[in-house]
Amino acid sequence: MIIRNILTGVCCLILSMMSANAALQDDAENSKNILIAYFTWADNTHVADPSQVDLDATTSASLLIPGNTAKLAQWIHEEVGGDIFSITVKEPYSSDYDECLERAASEKDNDIYPELTSRVNNLENYDTVFLGFPNWWYSCPMAILTFIKENNLSGKTIIPFASHGTGGFAASLRDIKEALPDNCVMLKEFGVYRSDVDRSRPALVSWLHSLNLK
């Protein structure tokens, strides 16, 4: 009886370990199918003297690396895994807020798609794409639309996230949806006011859980 109980216990332990390993493998496999692509001002400009940036100014909070959107992207990565891809343009934007938005407005009004520095390798391996950006001129930066145009996102699940001012997402979700292939599925977005980014992680985690990705 004692030997039987011991053997039974060992078998249960082995089965439990196998189940746990299988769950870990499933989680690892799921994370491999996730891409977190984002655009942030900090990765697309040059600041001559970072010490002169007023970090208390809401217009400058995302100017220095990592930038607001990159922070959100990193937190998403820590929670769900996957790969991170920073969307960068060949011609950097001005580090002056007004000049940057003036160019952003011109690109939007004239349907100018800024050239990017690179594309995603093996995009076919990803089923889910988080797409992050700041609100620029009442929409997403045109670089986001360049990314959509240059990368085949057909059939993928798209999850937008953004930092923004008082305008919220404005027309960005509409513009992104219009640019995506018809067979994409767009899940509930996450947005945060730019001055609240540093304390927004709990809300972001709650949003991720609500998506039921696993």
Side-chain angles (χ1 to χ4, degrees), residues 39 41 93 100-101 104 107-108 134-141:
F39 175 95
W41 187 20
Y93 291 87
C100 179
L101 282 194
E107 289 176 342
K108 180 175 180 292
N135 177 337
W136 276 13
W137 211 249
Y138 308 106
S139 185
C140 60

Side-chain angles (χ1 to χ4, degrees), residues 2-17:
I2 295 177
I3 295 176
R4 183 184 299 173
N5 289 340
I6 292 174
L7 290 175
T8 301
V10 171
C11 289
C12 289
L13 178 60
I14 292 173
L15 289 173
S16 178
M17 292 175 65

Side-chain angles (χ1 to χ4, degrees), residues 129-188:
V129 179
F130 285 86
L131 196 57
F133 52 91
N135 177 337
W136 276 13
W137 211 249
Y138 308 106
S139 185
C140 60
M142 286 297 291
I144 291 291
L145 301 185
T146 305
F147 175 84
I148 294 173
K149 186 177 180 180
E150 293 186 351
N151 294 277
N152 182 12
L153 300 177
S154 180
K156 301 189 186 301
T157 297
I158 309 298
I159 310 175
F161 65 98
S163 61
H164 56 72
T166 55
F169 277 89
S172 60
L173 298 179
R174 180 203 66 193
D175 293 343
I176 289 171
K177 190 169 185 178
E178 289 180 353
L180 288 169
D182 291 338
N183 62 350
C184 284
V185 175
M186 196 153 77
L187 298 188
K188 176 65 178 177

Side-chain angles (χ1 to χ4, degrees), residues 41-60:
W41 187 20
D43 287 348
N44 285 278
T45 191
H46 173 69
V47 180
D49 186 359
S51 66
Q52 296 302 308
V53 175
D54 181 7
L55 295 179
D56 292 327
T58 57
T59 56
S60 299

Side-chain angles (χ1 to χ4, degrees), residues 18-30:
M18 290 175 62
S19 177
N21 287 336
L24 289 174
Q25 289 174 0
D26 287 344
D27 288 346
E29 189 63 32
N30 288 339

